[in-house]
Amino acid sequence: TLARAATHRPIPGLTARADRPGHRVPVVVVLGTSMNSGKSTVLAELAHGLAAAGLQVAAGKATGTGAGNDAHLFADAGAHRVLDFTDFGLASTYGLAADETRDLFASMVDELAAGAHRPDIVLIEIADGVYQGETARLLTDPAFEEVVDLVVLSAGDALGAVGGVHVLATLGIAPALVSGVVTASPLAAAEARRAVDVPVVDTPALGEAGTAREIVAGIIGR
């Protein structure tokens, strides 16, 4: 089975120990308002921009159903190391218990943040939308707040951007910016900029070194 061949295993019950690798490297999480909101492209563009800015980037996809394309996209974008849940023995994370999702997420962050070539930053994609079962439970787990330094929200349209920002606010999460499919349309992007109080950044702009570096300036070297 995939679990027997996996190179990594989720570590049960990871705690907030200060010596965990995930506490020593800044972590950015890309969330979406729904499926097909542009999360993977947003993460890939951000990885490309940060790599172009001279940063060592590690990237992962913590939840979803295994296909391989997203991991390859991240590597092609410039991430020097990439993992997804299949590397931890899971073909899909659908239906995982809350503690299993938490352990997978925390273990992936720690694994990407560790190793001989410690990255400057870790980027993690969480699949589907904020209302999806595994995602919703993870966002309320203390393990998420323990290690995540910055959240990027990917939205499909202006209304989704408004709703996504509001839902995250009820969880005590303030996204640093909105990007994704909504920015493919100048009209939709303009609507979103008028409606939300966080920056709305065109997805291709995330791939520019200056823009990417500015986005993470507050968490690098913390």
Side-chain angles (χ1 to χ4, degrees), residues 29-112:
V29 164
V30 178
L31 302 171
T33 57
S34 66
M35 294 178 63
N36 301 316
S37 60
K39 297 178 298 293
S40 298
T41 304
V42 164
L43 190 147
E45 287 287 359
L46 187 56
H48 182 73
L50 293 172
L55 298 181
Q56 189 95 318
V57 180
K61 183 166 183 173
T63 61
T65 298
N69 52 311
D70 291 335
H72 294 309
L73 178 65
F74 302 161
D76 288 345
H80 82 282
R81 189 180 184 203
V82 177
L83 295 173
D84 74 3
F85 46 88
T86 62
D87 295 302
F88 288 80
L90 295 164
S92 173
T93 60
Y94 178 74
L96 279 187
D99 59 340
E100 294 176 304
T101 305
R102 177 201 62 223
D103 292 343
L104 172 62
F105 171 77
S107 299
M108 182 178 293
V109 169
D110 276 14
E111 181 59 37
L112 287 169

Side-chain angles (χ1 to χ4, degrees), residues 2-221:
L2 183 60
R4 288 201 299 267
T7 54
H8 304 288
R9 295 284 189 277
I11 302 172
L14 281 179
T15 63
R17 292 198 332 261
D19 62 340
R20 278 180 50 198
H23 289 277
R24 301 196 298 268
V25 176
V27 176
V28 177
V29 164
V30 178
L31 302 171
T33 57
S34 66
M35 294 178 63
N36 301 316
S37 60
K39 297 178 298 293
S40 298
T41 304
V42 164
L43 190 147
E45 287 287 359
L46 187 56
H48 182 73
L50 293 172
L55 298 181
Q56 189 95 318
V57 180
K61 183 166 183 173
T63 61
T65 298
N69 52 311
D70 291 335
H72 294 309
L73 178 65
F74 302 161
D76 288 345
H80 82 282
R81 189 180 184 203
V82 177
L83 295 173
D84 74 3
F85 46 88
T86 62
D87 295 302
F88 288 80
L90 295 164
S92 173
T93 60
Y94 178 74
L96 279 187
D99 59 340
E100 294 176 304
T101 305
R102 177 201 62 223
D103 292 343
L104 172 62
F105 171 77
S107 299
M108 182 178 293
V109 169
D110 276 14
E111 181 59 37
L112 287 169
H117 300 288
R118 174 179 162 182
D120 296 304
I121 194 163
V122 170
L123 310 180
I124 300 282
E125 179 188 347
I126 306 296
D128 302 311
V130 295
Y131 282 138
Q132 198 272 345
E134 290 80 46
T135 301
R137 289 192 294 270
L138 180 59
L139 296 183
T140 61
D141 195 290
F144 185 85
E145 185 179 0
E146 283 171 15
V147 298
V148 175
D149 298 283
L150 188 147
V151 170
V152 172
L153 178 65
S154 182
D157 57 23
L159 184 58
V162 173
V165 169
H166 172 72
V167 170
L168 292 178
T170 66
L171 300 175
I173 299 171
L177 62 96
V178 170
S179 191
V181 172
V182 64
T183 68
S185 162
L187 178 59
E191 292 173 348
R193 290 186 176 102
R194 289 195 298 268
V196 298
D197 57 0
V198 298
V200 176
V201 182
D202 292 345
T203 302
L206 300 174
E208 299 170 2
T211 300
R213 184 72 195 225
E214 182 179 356
I215 289 167
V216 302
I219 63 173
I220 292 293

